[in-house]
């Protein structure tokens, strides 16, 4: 397995990477939510649902050409 030639640009500019980071933060928030019992009134599964949407968005954005990453193939 080898990295793609423009991996640094992809890491900095790709929306798929950004959305996967958001999904990771939301997943962590879902795990930490029971520790905040009574402090926040957030419906159960809200962070999980938002994490799913972020992951789905990352999937779609990975298939879309992004000018800052694809080199103008948009």
């Amino acid at each position: 397995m080898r990295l793609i030639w423009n991996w640094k640009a992809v890491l900095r500019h790709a929306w798929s990477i950004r959305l996967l980071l958001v999904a990771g933060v939301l997943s962590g928030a879902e795990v930490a939510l029971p520790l905040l019992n009574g402090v926040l009134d957030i419906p159960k599964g809200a962070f999980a649902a938002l994490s799913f949407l972020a992951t789905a968005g990352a999937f779609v954005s990975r298939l879309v050409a992004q000018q800052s990453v694809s080199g103008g193939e948009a």
Side-chain angles (χ1 to χ4, degrees), residues 25-37 40 47:
V25 169
L26 290 169
S27 293
E30 182 75 17
V31 170
L33 192 60
L35 301 174
L36 302 173
N37 191 16
L40 297 173
F47 287 121

Side-chain angles (χ1 to χ4, degrees), residues 14-50:
W15 277 101
S16 58
I17 299 296
R18 294 173 184 174
L19 289 169
L20 286 172
L21 287 172
V22 169
V25 169
L26 290 169
S27 293
E30 182 75 17
V31 170
L33 192 60
L35 301 174
L36 302 173
N37 191 16
V39 177
L40 297 173
D41 188 26
I42 298 173
K44 186 175 182 177
F47 287 121
L50 291 172

